[in-house]
Each structure stands twice: as structure tokens, then as C-alpha cells.
Amino acid sequence: MNKTIFFALFFIQNILFAQSSARDLSAEQWQFKNSKDKNWLSAKVPGTVHLDLMNNKIIQDPFKDENEKKVQWIENEDWDYQTIFRVSSKELEYHNIDLVFNGLDTFSEIYLNGKLLKKTDNMFRKWEIPVKQNLKSGENILQVKFKSAVATGKTLAQKVPFTMPESPRSFVRKAQYQFGWDWGPRLVTAGIWKDVKLAFWNTARLVHVKIEQKSLSDKNADLNIHTLIFADKEGEYTVNINHDANTVHLKKGQNKISIPYPIQNPRLWQPNGWGEPYLYNIDITLQKDSKLLSDETHKIGLRTVELVQEKDGKGKSFYFKVNGNPLYIKGTNWIPADSFSPRITKEKYQKLIRDSKEAHMNMIRIWGGGIYEDDEFYKACDENGILVWQDFMFAGSFYPADAEFLNNVKEEVKDQVNRLQNHPSIALWCGNNEIDEAIVNWGYQKQFKYSKNDSVQVWKDYKKLFHDLIPSTLKENLTADKNIYWPSSPSIGWGHKESLTEGDSHYWGVWWGEQPFEIYNEKVGRFMSEYGFQGMPTLETTKSMFSGAPDLNLQNPAIKAHEKHSRGWEIINEYMQRDYKIPTDFVKYNYVSQLLQARGMQIAIDAHRRARPYNMGTLYWQLNDCWPVVSWSSIDYLGNWKAFHYQAKRSFEPTLISVSETKEAFDIYFVSDLLNDLEIRSGAELMDFEGKVLWSVDTKDQLLANSSKKQLEIKKENFSKFDLSKSVLRIYFANGSVQQEKLFFFNKPKDIELLKPTITVKKISSTEIELSTDVLAKDVYLIGDTHFSDNYFDLLPKTSKRIILSKPLDTIEILSLWEVMRD
């Protein structure tokens, strides 16, 4: 026989007679019902009870009108799910059969053929149950009975002798945002929210794989492949790593096997902006007697990440060093992309991460009140060079620390760390969101009349969970190169001066403190991990709030219901009045609310980047939404870019021009995230709104790598004879392909004396247009059912701007700030 044919047949035989396989039980016909009822209804798995009720037309869409209020009864009910599936006699010949639930929300009892197999109490854990002895040839019935998380949480809360804030959500290990937030609805779900499978296997299987990077240089990467293997039989086995065979001896039961694996001339995984996020495939197979028993594939990136905290004259640094270089972090905070997370598609994950990459981001913080995200999220971050700050799922409350709760959390941490640790995007594990601050700053102890002993107990429980249990569990389950832990974000609350001199900062003096946007120039910390301001979603998403014809009116109850902050409209109007005129027309109000949000965030990001290296990171709140809502997001629920995301893209460019106004001058800073110096030609010119140059300066200079430097100081006396309400300062620099321009206005938008622009649109192709104007057009807003490559931008006379459309439009409406300010 031909040798090639022989090996091909041998390979096919190995596949056909593989000693492991899996059945996707999610694809079976599922049913559900209220536990009080007799009639079963059709269900989808993965899913949630709310989605199943909607699909069966029992409830209306909670995202529309004021329907959220009408579905609150669901959280107080118990719900049953079941399916009937067949198992063949051939399948029953496997030595081992495991029933695997990757996610059950949350308190459930699992029955197979009428026998109780397991009780579950954690949405974030994986549940594996040996079931060979419970299965039979032919039909089998699988039932999962869910108890109300709210009712169960209330029972658990009664065990604590004092009232916990946000009770009972802190007693249940499920997504905390489901209980309602100041950007999200209260929709407390239940159901089989991740896939279910039957895993069949013989002899031995890979339980999990940890890939350790022992050392990394230009010439070599030395890896250790750590495998946890469960074997039914003692003996000699083969572990193949990318077809390199390694013979190992396994005893019966669990085996920890470590195998060195070198890579010569390694290519680095680089964060977005620094190069390609190169990924290696690591294929691992377990064999015995040439039979394939188990296999896994991991995509890894070779890189180094360090969190550097060093004392200095102003406090203590806080920055990430990646591949040996300090990386200025530019990014955002992530919340779940839907209140019903099973319906977040791979395409939605990929789009949101691509949109982040396009906006020059290099880090996303997964906020601790949501979920540990789907594998697709981390895959997208790996592929796009986006680092991940991973919170554990605790947020803004006090949490118990009894033995049962701590053990539950320990298993949760193990499951999630084992699932996620090989992703090169993971840069940091963080214990929680704002719990240290909640204990110290938020006055819950006084509100709930805690005794001294109660307060002491809260702090003891906090330390047990976030300073003892989680870090010790990480140490047990992570290799040293993956174990960077930060107990709480922020480390110090925003009311304390130390919050701006060390650690990470959540600065909420703007919005919550109602301070003016300009305060951002003063309140700059070492690493800004939260700050933000609300803006309305796009018109398309606003219209989606209605089940019928949309009534676009700020007084409409449906629109009011989609603002979850108790004083949201009041705060937006207060800030709008400071900087703009408040429009009465809804479309113009929507437009200005987005401009307002973008303006505030531009001031903040400019201040942060200008302050490097004192400040080395800026993560705004927040990237996305979980439903159609007025919120802090830059991308709305339907995936449309708000004005803020267009501004974020400009503010996060690799090079930036920033202006800081002092009493006597305008200081011009050039900021660069590039890793090489550039010789540049730079300058500034004062122009009127018809394009006439009133004053100018032109210089040759150097743009220093990875730095922020004051390049130019323009004395205010230079402009004393000009009307600055009718002028704009254009600052620029250029070096070949690197070009940067900044338009700086001297007054707030409401005080700029704009002229009426005539904006001309020239069609280049079906998906490309060119815009020009006779006089300055400020905040040009292109309206249409397409994605514009740029929007909400300023356009100077005697210039033009080309815009790419994601799909052709017959007509494009255009609005600019002049139309709003003249009203």
C-alpha cells in the first residue's frame, strides 16, 4: 500500500473511532413552564425565561414602551425546563458519560429520568455531572427546575443580622446588573443561559490546559504546557503538542503533566497601535495506543505585561508596561451588550471590538456588575490587540463571607480563570468594582444603622473575599506570568486627594458632583479607570424604544422610562444650559445632547493624555448599552456610533494636539504614542470663520516618542485686537504620513458667533461623498440610515472632507450647530 494512503487511512480511522465525542443537547427540543402551571411551552437553549415568554407571546418586549414595569412578576416565579433526548446503545458503550452545563441561571435542581443529580447556586460556574449510570438506551428526560433568585436571595439575606445594601442581589452569584442599574432595566432572569452537552469519553481526557510563558527574548520563547489529565487506567500515554510527541506515564485519577515547548525567533503579540497582535496555534492531543482520546486547541500570544507601581515625588505610579515599553492605555469600560446575554451574537461581539480598535483603543475593562464574557469576546480582543482589565463579578454593594459563599466564589474563580487565562488579551484580574469605596464613602452604615460590630464585620468579610480568597485562588490556578491582581477599582474613592496621586481613579465630580467639564483639567489621576457623561442614543435607537409609531417627545413616558438615572434629564439640561442653548425641537435636542457628551469627554481625555507620564491611562465609562437607553455609552444598543464615539476616535489617535489655557497664554501640547521620534513641521494660525488668516506662526520641531510635551506657548496678548468669538485657532503638525490638526475655539459653543454655512455635498461614488463649505461649519451632523466614516465634525472653508458610507443613501440630511444656536 502507498505510504501516504496508509497514513491517511490511519488518520481517518483515528477520527472515526475517537475515544471521545460530544452531543449538543442545546439543539434538542426544549420546553418550559411556570412551575405552578401544567402546560409546557416551547423554549430555546441557550436562553432565558424572558425570551421564551416573549417568543410565546406571553409578555411584550420589555425594551419597548414602558413594558419593563409589566414584567417584574417574572423574577418572583419558579420556572421548569425539560427536554427528551435519545441515547443509542453504541453511545452507552463509552466508559464515561458526563452531563455538562456551561451556565445555569442560577438556583436550580437538575433531574435525569426523575432522579435529582445536582443543585446549583451560581450563574458563573460550569457544572459537570457523571451520568452513565442514569442514562438508558432510547428516550431520556432531562429537567432543570429553577427557583426564583429574588426569593432565594431574600432567604439568604435573613441569615445576616444587619441589612446589606442592594439586598438581595449581593447574596446571589448572578449578574448584578439584572437587578437594575442607572443605565439598565431590572430584568432578573432565569434559565439555561449557556450550552448543554453530553460528553462521551474512554480511558482518559484533558481536563484543562495552562500555557505558561517562562521566558521571552528576541531569539526564544520558552513555554511550559501544563495539562490536567484524568485517567481511568494507569499506563503510558502520548501528549502531542503541535505534533511533537511526548510519552507520559499516568496514574489512575488526576495527573498534572508539564511539558516544555520552545518557539524560536518568536513573533510578539502587540497591542493595538504598536503592531500586529500575532497569534500562535497550540494543538494538544492525548493518545493511547495510537487512539485519539482528547484534544484542545489554543491560540496564544507571546507578550509581557507588567503593572508598574513605583513611589515618586507626587505619589505612586500606576501604568502597564507591555513588551518592555510603557503603554499609555486608551480605552473604555464594557457592560453586557444585552440584558438577555444569550442573544448576544458573535457578530455583535466582533463589531463592538472592531469599533473599539477603529477608535484606537488598546484596553477594555470588563465591569464587575455584568458577566464573565463569552469566549468570542476574548477571541475578538486577542485578534484586535485589545488588552482586557477583567473584574470579578462583584459591584457596588457589601458581600457575605460565610464558608458556603466563599467556597462558591472559589469554584467560580477557578472555572473562569481556567477558561480565560490563555488569552493574551487578559492583562489584569481585579477583585471588584467600587466595593472598597462603597464601604468607606457611601454612608451605608449610617443609612442602615449599623452597630460598630456590624461595620467591623463588613470590613472583615471584604478582606476575606478580596484580599485573601480570590488572590490565593489565583495563585493556585494561574502561572506566575498571568497573575496580576488588583483588589478593587478604584483603590481610593474620588472624594479623597490620594485618589489622584496613586492607584486607579473613578472620577465622578462631573455628572454626580455636577462640577463643570473644565474641572477635568485639574482632576487628573495616575490612571483614570472610570469617568463619564450621559448622552442620548441615535435617532434610530430612540425610535426603537416604541412598539408602534414613535412619538419623539421628551415628555413621552416611553422616552422617560429609558432614562434610568433618577436625575438624568435634570443633569443633562443643567450642563446643556451651561455650554449650549437648549433646543425645543426633539431632533435638535438629541443632536445637542450628543455634542454635550462628546465635548465633556474630549476635555477629559485631552487632560489625561496631556498629563503623561503622570497619568498613564484613560478608560471612559462606557462603551456600550444593554438596551435602548439614555446613558454614558459611546455606542448605542443598536450598534450606532454616537457623537462621543466619533470624538473618542479623534481623541485616541496615536498623535494628539491639546491646548491648555492659562491666565496669560494658550499652551500647546503635542502628544505621541508612537515608539519613534519624528521630525515635524508644525504651526498655528488664527482664522476668522470665512477662512481669513489673522495671525500665524510656523516652526520646525521634533515629536518625541511615547511622550507629551509643551511645544508652543501663545501669549493671549497676541490676540488682543481680534474678536475671539468669531475666530478659531488652527494648530497642526506633519511628517509624511503622520498629520495632525486641532481646531481650538476660545468660547463655549453657545458663545461662538457662527455664520450660516452653505454645505455642498459632492457624490464621488455610491458610498463616498465629499463635503465643502463657504464658511466654518461647526459640528456637521450627517443624518441617514448608514454608518458614516466620520460625523459630528468641524469643517473649515476652502477645504473639503471625504466620507465613506457603509451603504448607499439616496439623500443625506445635514445639520450643523448654526441651525441650533440661531433658535
Side-chain angles (χ1 to χ4, degrees), residues 199 221 401 584 718 755 766:
T584 54
N718 290 324
L755 302 174
S766 62

Side-chain angles (χ1 to χ4, degrees), residues 363-477:
M363 179 177 277
I364 290 175
R365 172 180 173 241
I366 297 185
W367 168 75
I371 60 173
Y372 303 97
E373 284 297 341
D374 187 83
D375 292 343
E376 192 69 24
F377 171 90
Y378 303 95
K379 176 177 178 286
C381 289
D382 293 345
E383 293 168 348
N384 288 282
I386 307 291
L387 293 165
V388 175
W389 170 312
Q390 177 68 60
D391 279 6
F392 288 100
M393 293 301 115
F394 303 87
S397 183
F398 303 167
Y399 288 82
D402 57 90
E404 187 177 348
F405 188 86
L406 290 177
N407 183 63
N408 198 357
V409 172
K410 184 180 181 72
E411 294 303 313
E412 169 188 325
V413 171
K414 284 168 61 177
D415 281 355
Q416 295 301 331
V417 163
N418 284 332
R419 178 173 72 97
L420 300 176
Q421 65 175 292
N422 293 324
H423 287 280
S425 53
I426 299 278
L428 178 77
W429 307 91
C430 179
N432 68 77
N433 172 77
E434 295 185 347
I435 298 177
D436 187 308
E437 179 171 7
I439 294 171
V440 174
N441 282 357
W442 292 359
Y444 282 134
Q445 294 89 331
K446 184 177 180 181
Q447 178 184 341
F448 295 117
K449 298 181 172 60
Y450 281 18
S451 68
K452 184 177 180 180
N453 287 340
D454 294 340
S455 296
V456 169
Q457 188 63 48
V458 166
W459 190 246
K460 281 184 179 178
D461 289 348
Y462 175 83
K463 291 184 75 174
K464 273 186 191 177
L465 188 51
F466 300 110
H467 288 261
D468 297 333
L469 178 89
I470 292 179
S472 65
T473 307
L474 292 179
K475 189 174 181 181
E476 291 168 8
N477 291 276

Side-chain angles (χ1 to χ4, degrees), residues 811-822:
T811 58
I812 298 173
E813 294 181 66
I814 300 179
L815 192 63
S816 75
L817 194 61
W818 178 84
E819 283 93 340
V820 175
M821 294 297 103
R822 68 173 181 165

Side-chain angles (χ1 to χ4, degrees), residues 209-214 216 221-225 241-242 261-263 266-270 276-284 297-303 378-379 382-383 420-425 481-482:
V209 174
K210 295 193 288 192
I211 301 174
E212 178 185 16
Q213 182 181 288
K214 290 289 290 182
L216 179 64
D222 293 316
L223 307 182
N224 272 342
I225 312 296
I241 302 172
N242 286 352
Y261 184 76
I263 296 176
R267 296 175 64 179
L268 293 183
W269 183 94
Q270 294 284 13
E276 180 187 1
Y278 188 82
L279 296 171
Y280 285 88
N281 270 341
I282 304 290
D283 296 318
I284 301 155
T297 296
H298 294 268
K299 281 186 177 289
I300 67 163
L302 303 177
R303 87 292 184 272
Y378 303 95
K379 176 177 178 286
D382 293 345
E383 293 168 348
L420 300 176
Q421 65 175 292
N422 293 324
H423 287 280
S425 53
D481 57 308
K482 307 280 176 53

Side-chain angles (χ1 to χ4, degrees), residues 31-44:
Q31 297 175 306
F32 86 111
K33 68 179 181 67
N34 189 313
S35 62
K36 297 174 184 175
D37 298 338
K38 293 182 179 179
N39 294 330
W40 291 90
L41 302 167
S42 63
K44 289 185 179 179

